[in-house]
């Protein structure tokens, strides 16, 4: 089969388009013919050795995708050849070969049928970012649960995959959503998706701007995928007992941060790792997510689709900051 092979930990720029052996499903696996794959920042981090997983080389990236079932292992029941399924969170693209290939083997308990009314494109890039956003929004209670309706949610990097997912899920939870994006066109799109307030994070008066928009309220929960120099401003906006779910660090490390700013308002920080979701939890959460989106009449957002041969161009677009997901059309 054709695949994008990762021969080193020198970045996605060094990926090689070539031939790889056709994979064989185990007794609890499904073999899929990949139609669409999706690119994630986690792929680029793994390719640079900046991810906890260190799979043997050559490796094939790709954690999301949609494909047609070719065959199932001896222990697989309920899914037949010819069905179209999407990949939920699992070791695909991490410890085992991923979806940037013509075929992929996926654990049968880590696939989901395409929700009714959804296109293959909408399904292809949705699971990882929406499961991540769900964990970021719900991880602060035991058992996990959505924030109280009416709470204020701040989303940084709001036009990215996790950002859009957090905005949509936040609105499904009846939260007041403040979305940050550097691009005016993307801010207009976020407003269309339901964000209550949209602001430019590069504005030198950002804290004053958010404060003015919220009037007497403050931020109860932030989903931050940026970090960097923006992080101290996020802390300054937090309410007493506010929570910050850290999803990523596209803005680089936080170089200057006074930890005392956390003290008197008891601001809490928490990392997000969707890898903590086992198969059964991922299935249950995904069903909840799909139900909420359908109830709202909303769908995952696709920025653009690149041909299979142009995966490197797709990663370049991802690095620029897309509006939604970058997909790869592996097969028609």
């Amino acid at each position: 089969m054709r695949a994008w092979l990762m021969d080193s930990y020198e970045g996605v720029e060094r990926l090689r388009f070539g031939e790889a052996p056709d994979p064989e499903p185990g007794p609890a696996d499904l073999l899929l013919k990949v139609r669409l794959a999706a690119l994630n920042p986690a792929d680029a981090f793994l390719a640079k050795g900046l991810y906890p997983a260190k799979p043997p080389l050559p490796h094939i990236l790709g954690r999301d995708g949609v494909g047609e079932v070719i065959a199932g292992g001896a222990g697989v029941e309920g899914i037949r050849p010819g069905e179209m399924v999407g990949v939920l969170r699992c070791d695909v693209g991490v410890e085992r070969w991923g979806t940037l290939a013509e075929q992929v083997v996926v654990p049968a308990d880590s696939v989901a049928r395409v929700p009714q009314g959804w296109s293959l494109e909408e399904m292809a890039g949705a699971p990882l970012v929406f499961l991540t956003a769900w964990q970021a929004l719900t991880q602060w209670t035991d058992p996990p649960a959505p924030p109280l309706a009416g709470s204020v949610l701040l989303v940084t990097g709001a036009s990215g995959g996790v950002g859009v997912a957090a905005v949509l899920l936040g609105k499904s939870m009846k939260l007041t959503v403040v979305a940050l994006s550097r691009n005016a066109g993307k801010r207009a799109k976020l407003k269309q998706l339901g964000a209550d307030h949209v602001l430019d994070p590069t504005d030198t008066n950002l804290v004053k701007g958010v404060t003015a928009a919220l009037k007497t309220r403050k931020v109860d929960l932030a989903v931050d995928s940026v970090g960097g120099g923006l992080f101290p401003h996020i802390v300054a906006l937090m309410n007493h007992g506010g929570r910050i779910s850290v999803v990523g660090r596209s803005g680089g490390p936080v170089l200057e941060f006074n930890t005392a700013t956390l003290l008197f308002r008891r601001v809490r920080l928490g990392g997000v790792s969707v890898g903590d979701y086992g198969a059964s939890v991922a299935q249950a959460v995904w069903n909840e997510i799909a139900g909420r989106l359908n109830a709202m009449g909303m769908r995952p957002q696709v920025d653009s689709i690149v041909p299979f041969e142009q995966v490197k161009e797709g990663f370049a677009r991802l690095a620029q900051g897309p509006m939604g997901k970058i997909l790869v059309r592996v097969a028609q």
Side-chain angles (χ1 to χ4, degrees), residues 10-16 43-45 47-48 61 312 315-316:
E10 299 178 57
V12 294
E13 299 80 10
R14 300 297 298 271
L15 296 179
R16 173 174 58 89
D43 299 322
F45 282 127
K48 290 182 178 179
L61 298 168
K312 290 184 181 181
F315 274 115

Side-chain angles (χ1 to χ4, degrees), residues 66-135:
V66 163
E68 177 184 346
V69 177
I70 299 173
V76 177
E77 298 179 353
I79 298 180
R80 295 173 296 180
E83 289 196 69
M84 299 297 298
V85 296
V87 181
L88 300 186
R89 190 233 68 80
C90 59
D91 283 341
V92 166
V94 184
E95 298 289 355
R96 63 166 78 189
W97 282 3
T99 56
L100 291 179
E102 291 181 314
Q103 297 181 18
V104 65
V105 168
V106 183
D109 59 3
S110 293
V111 302
R113 292 179 173 88
V114 181
Q116 187 173 1
W118 288 32
S119 68
L120 299 184
E121 290 79 6
E122 289 165 343
M123 178 64 179
L128 186 64
V129 293
F130 274 89
L131 289 169
T132 300
W134 181 269
Q135 186 181 99

